[in-house]
Amino acid sequence: MNFLQKVVRYKVNFCMMYVLILSLIFFSLGHAQSPTEIDKELEKNKICFALYTVHEQTLKLTAQFYPVRSYDPFEATLQIKNNGQWETVQQSRIQYPGYTAHFRIENWDDTKEKEYRVVYKKNKFYKGIVRKNPKDKDEILMAAFSCWSIYKRHGGQGPADDIINNLKKLQPDVLFFSGDQSYDHSDHYGYWLKFGEVFGEIIRNTPTIVIPDDHDVGQGNLWGNGGIPTKNRDGNYGGYYMPVNYIKEVERAQTSHLPDPYDPTPIAQGIGVYYTDYKWGGMSFAILEDRKFKSGPKSVLSKQRYTDTHAMDVAGATLLGERQLDFLEAWTTDWKDAEMKAVLSQTIFANVTTHSPTLAKKQRYSVDSNGWPQAGRNKALSVIRKSFSCMIAGDQHLGSVLHHGIEDWNNAGYSFAVPAASNFWMRWWKPDVPGKNHVKGMPDYTGEYLDAFHNKMTVLAIANPTHKDNTEKENLLNGRASGYGIIRFHKNKRQITYECWPRNVDMFAPDAKPYHGWPVTFEQTDNFRIAQGYELPILSIAKENQVVTVKNQYTKEVISSLRIRGNQYQPKVLHPGHYTVEIGEGAHQTSLYNLEATTKNNKKINIVF
Ligand SMILES: [Fe+2]
């Protein structure tokens, strides 16, 4: 080989090496940016998932860790990407038991979307997106879930690719998990991780509301009775069975990332409270704890069984309790950054079941439903309707839409009980006869009914199981009527649409349909519909979209409160008499006194600020 050949070979080798190095760099760069393969590897066995909300410029985020082992540290860091650079914003100790790290960042700029990552030991990362406040969107989308069965054969424990794929396309603005995220009565932590492994993919990038229910705290039913301990896991006397540290761990994991509680005063045993409001996207949500203060049936009822359920409406039986009713009352008139409202709870304020757990077994009544105690149910609904709020809940394992009534049918809110996301325990609504004022063409189980506790309810849609009992082994998701809810808040039209979707359906397929009877659309003001009442004068207001609050002239009790759309509004009331009407908010507020409500009122009042 002469000198020239040597030089050429050297150059060729050098060039090949150069190409190899370049392509290695290119490949590794490309790989680092490609979707989450490396991220997932880094997350593995460290951070399971992360939940967050942003409310009134405060970001709260909980990072859920797998067990911290051996000599590993109990420190976690939250970083936010600003101008392409990761910046550490807070450090937090990992809490035990439960392995959760909690972050709280004030003065959060909610007008911008930001990437976040939870960092562990400088080399383990969990990434997600904190969404910007969608307050300029006309339609706010909520996806709502309930009851994630423990049984693999019913789809519990996942996978839930149908749900995840649909939601990745739909991009809901907020998620709501209404309870029974875990059904294991002694290992909440283990099953909360399994829940996170299934739903974490959508939770990581979406503000998420979670409230735990009875099974999450390790009992079949929960009448919290203000937090007292109970010796019976069936909970019939009221109270919590599991050790108080277990309860606290569950609430810490599931609810720490919610907006701060309205009144954080702990209840018995030092158990915390999380009921609060959450403002997002021009919506205001009241997040309730309808189990925590409720009386245990055996602590207030003298008989084992009742033939006449009227007699079960005993004095001293609590449902929401004074504290939560006070909160709801205060929330009624708070319309700051809010155009519409919804109340979120574990279950609905009615008993809409005729058969359970098989179609051969009639069920007379269930004190686990919020149909009982009746007076507590009516108190709750009568506050909720004041702000024309609709209601969303779960727990029933039976998808339903009801229009509630108090003094008469249809004069309180619309509720949507979303079905179980995977269903073991089945319930049906199959009454013997169609309801009063049944609409021709609607299913024969719809119309106006009295529930098992004589509460007025209009049944509008039901997703009954097609299976008749547990012997049926095929199609365990659809036959058992599992699914989830999509709620569309149309802020411009002031309407709400409830959709109940079955499992294993591509929502975006051309022939895709929700369960029979859905979608159900109704007006915001139908949540306090006064068919035969009294009218106040027509208000013509110079400034549009003002808050109008009607108060009893003498007691100052709030009768209704609404952010109207446009410039004109005629308030209606149930009773004749004199009323004070407050218009506007903050510095721009004016009051009208001594307005008389009459059956037909043509009087018009012009309001300028
Ligand atoms: Fe459940």
Side-chain angles (χ1 to χ4, degrees):
M1 195 184 290
N2 62 27
F3 178 73
L4 192 69
Q5 281 175 314
K6 272 187 184 170
V7 168
V8 168
R9 174 170 289 188
Y10 173 78
K11 284 206 164 171
V12 166
N13 282 346
F14 185 80
C15 280
M16 279 173 68
M17 223 168 73
Y18 189 68
V19 168
L20 190 73
I21 288 168
L22 266 182
S23 56
L24 267 175
I25 290 171
F26 182 77
F27 177 75
S28 64
L29 269 181
H31 202 72
Q33 287 167 352
S34 77
T36 65
E37 279 310 307
I38 286 178
D39 292 346
K40 282 203 173 124
E41 195 51 42
L42 290 173
E43 288 162 7
K44 217 160 85 185
N45 302 324
K46 292 298 168 197
I47 304 160
C48 179
F49 70 124
L51 305 126
Y52 75 88
T53 60
V54 176
H55 168 72
E56 294 180 337
Q57 284 72 51
T58 297
L59 165 69
K60 290 180 77 179
L61 186 144
T62 294
Q64 178 62 61
F65 281 74
Y66 288 105
V68 173
R69 300 233 185 263
S70 192
Y71 294 100
D72 279 345
F74 273 75
E75 285 295 340
T77 303
L78 179 66
Q79 293 186 332
I80 303 294
K81 201 183 232 179
N82 282 320
N83 306 318
Q85 297 292 318
W86 286 110
E87 291 173 8
T88 294
V89 290
Q90 206 163 61
Q91 286 190 308
S92 177
R93 290 279 291 167
I94 296 170
Q95 302 292 304
Y96 181 84
Y99 302 105
T100 47
H102 307 282
F103 301 93
R104 188 178 191 287
I105 313 291
E106 292 182 359
N107 302 316
W108 180 263
D109 179 4
D110 71 359
T111 63
K112 294 190 179 71
E113 185 168 292
K114 292 277 181 187
E115 275 183 80
Y116 72 87
R117 68 180 186 183
V118 180
V119 187
Y120 182 66
K121 292 209 307 181
K122 293 189 179 146
N123 60 0
K124 310 286 179 204
F125 302 101
Y126 186 92
K127 277 194 216 169
I129 299 165
V130 180
R131 298 289 179 193
K132 72 171 192 176
N133 193 333
K135 58 184 176 221
D136 297 328
K137 277 179 71 183
D138 284 345
E139 182 186 84
I140 297 298
L141 274 173
M142 169 183 271
F145 306 88
S146 160
C147 299
W148 184 237
S149 168
I150 196 168
Y151 296 113
K152 276 190 173 153
R153 66 181 183 281
H154 298 125
Q157 300 180 36
D161 295 351
D162 55 327
I163 296 176
I164 304 297
N165 291 336
N166 280 333
L167 295 197
K168 277 186 173 171
K169 276 194 219 166
L170 188 70
Q171 297 244 337
D173 300 293
V174 59
L175 307 175
F176 172 41
F177 292 91
S178 74
D180 292 351
Q181 282 72 243
S182 157
Y183 273 90
D184 190 285
H185 286 191
S186 61
D187 180 18
H188 171 267
Y189 175 65
Y191 284 81
W192 178 240
L193 291 178
K194 286 174 191 278
F195 166 83
E197 284 164 356
V198 173
F199 291 100
E201 271 314 286
I202 47 167
I203 291 174
R204 77 162 82 216
N205 299 327
T206 319
T208 300
I209 301 160
V210 187
I211 54 177
D213 202 358
D214 39 22
H215 294 282
D216 296 290
V217 295
Q219 47 193 95
N221 285 310
L222 175 65
W223 297 274
N225 234 354
I228 60 168
T230 181
K231 289 198 174 78
N232 302 75
R233 210 191 269 262
D234 67 19
N236 285 328
Y237 286 93
Y240 289 79
Y241 176 76
M242 291 300 277
V244 66
N245 282 341
Y246 189 92
I247 310 299
K248 286 182 174 179
E249 179 194 332
V250 171
E251 295 197 347
R252 189 163 59 235
Q254 297 204 14
T255 68
S256 291
H257 69 288
L258 296 179
D260 297 340
Y262 173 75
D263 168 6
T265 311
I267 53 169
Q269 303 192 76
I271 294 171
V273 293
Y274 53 83
Y275 65 90
T276 190
D277 70 313
Y278 173 38
K279 282 178 182 157
W280 190 244
M283 291 296 305
S284 178
F285 302 103
I287 300 168
L288 294 186
E289 306 189 61
D290 39 322
R291 311 299 196 183
K292 202 166 247 175
F293 298 91
K294 188 171 175 178
S295 307
K298 283 194 177 170
S299 71
V300 288
L301 297 175
S302 52
K303 288 200 282 183
Q304 191 75 17
R305 300 294 295 169
Y306 285 77
T307 36
D308 179 7
T309 55
H310 283 114
M312 299 172 77
D313 194 11
V314 294
T318 296
L319 181 50
L320 292 184
E322 287 308 315
R323 285 179 62 175
Q324 282 193 106
L325 288 169
D326 288 348
F327 154 64
L328 280 174
E329 191 72 50
W331 175 73
T332 298
T333 51
D334 176 7
W335 287 95
K336 190 174 178 291
D337 299 325
E339 293 176 60
M340 294 170 81
K341 293 190 177 191
V343 169
L344 313 177
S345 59
Q346 273 92 6
T347 196
I348 51 170
F349 297 87
N351 186 180
V352 59
T353 301
T354 52
H355 300 75
S356 184
T358 82
L359 198 45
K361 196 168 173 293
K362 279 206 170 187
Q363 188 191 59
R364 281 217 47 235
Y365 59 78
S366 166
V367 287
D368 178 45
S369 82
N370 282 348
W372 180 82
Q374 295 95 320
R377 177 260 186 194
N378 290 330
K379 265 187 209 166
L381 288 174
S382 64
V383 185
I384 292 167
R385 73 178 176 186
K386 289 182 183 189
S387 55
F388 303 88
S389 305
C390 67
M391 295 168 278
I392 300 142
D395 172 63
Q396 292 297 308
H397 300 205
L398 176 63
S400 71
V401 174
L402 308 178
H403 194 181
H404 295 259
I406 303 171
E407 304 86 347
D408 200 352
W409 277 269
N410 309 312
N411 65 8
Y414 278 75
S415 70
F416 183 7
V418 302
S422 65
N423 194 11
F424 168 68
W425 190 273
M426 288 187 281
R427 292 191 177 93
W428 290 260
W429 171 253
K430 294 221 172 198
D432 297 334
V433 290
K436 202 166 51 117
N437 292 323
H438 176 262
V439 177
K440 209 174 159 220
M442 293 270 283
D444 56 12
Y445 50 74
T446 58
E448 295 170 0
Y449 291 93
L450 290 172
D451 78 359
F453 297 104
H454 303 274
N455 297 309
K456 295 177 183 71
M457 63 172 186
T458 304
V459 178
L460 295 163
I462 296 285
N464 275 317
T466 48
H467 287 189
K468 63 182 191 311
D469 57 37
N470 268 332
T471 60
E472 301 195 45
K473 303 286 182 229
E474 298 297 311
N475 196 2
L476 291 173
L477 280 174
N478 296 92
R480 304 174 82 88
S482 56
Y484 55 99
I486 300 294
I487 300 101
R488 298 173 191 271
F489 299 101
H490 314 281
K491 290 187 295 179
N492 273 355
K493 289 188 278 182
R494 294 300 168 87
Q495 288 177 337
I496 299 107
T497 299
Y498 291 152
E499 296 173 7
C500 187
W501 284 92
R503 294 290 309 275
N504 294 333
V505 167
D506 172 2
M507 285 174 63
F508 295 89
D511 56 346
K513 280 201 186 86
Y515 271 112
H516 182 60
W518 280 270
V520 177
T521 297
F522 53 97
E523 304 291 322
Q524 176 188 25
T525 47
D526 283 346
N527 289 306
F528 188 4
R529 187 193 290 168
I530 299 175
Q532 283 162 339
Y534 299 85
E535 294 175 349
L536 287 165
I538 300 159
L539 309 174
S540 183
I541 308 167
K543 247 174 112 187
E544 63 178 12
N545 304 341
Q546 294 301 294
V547 177
V548 177
T549 298
V550 178
K551 289 181 173 177
N552 180 301
Q553 171 85 2
Y554 305 102
T555 65
K556 296 287 176 261
E557 188 208 343
V558 172
I559 305 298
S560 69
S561 188
L562 177 71
R563 183 181 293 286
I564 67 160
R565 180 111 195 128
N567 299 78
Q568 195 155 304
Y569 177 55
Q570 182 165 35
K572 280 184 119 183
V573 291
L574 284 167
H575 306 289
H578 291 84
Y579 294 86
T580 302
V581 177
E582 294 171 359
I583 300 137
E585 57 200 313
H588 301 280
Q589 203 171 336
T590 185
S591 296
L592 303 170
Y593 300 98
N594 216 29
L595 297 183
E596 193 184 1
T598 56
T599 44
K600 188 79 202 136
N601 201 331
N602 294 321
K603 208 173 152 193
K604 197 168 181 177
I605 301 177
N606 291 314
I607 294 126
V608 280
F609 291 97

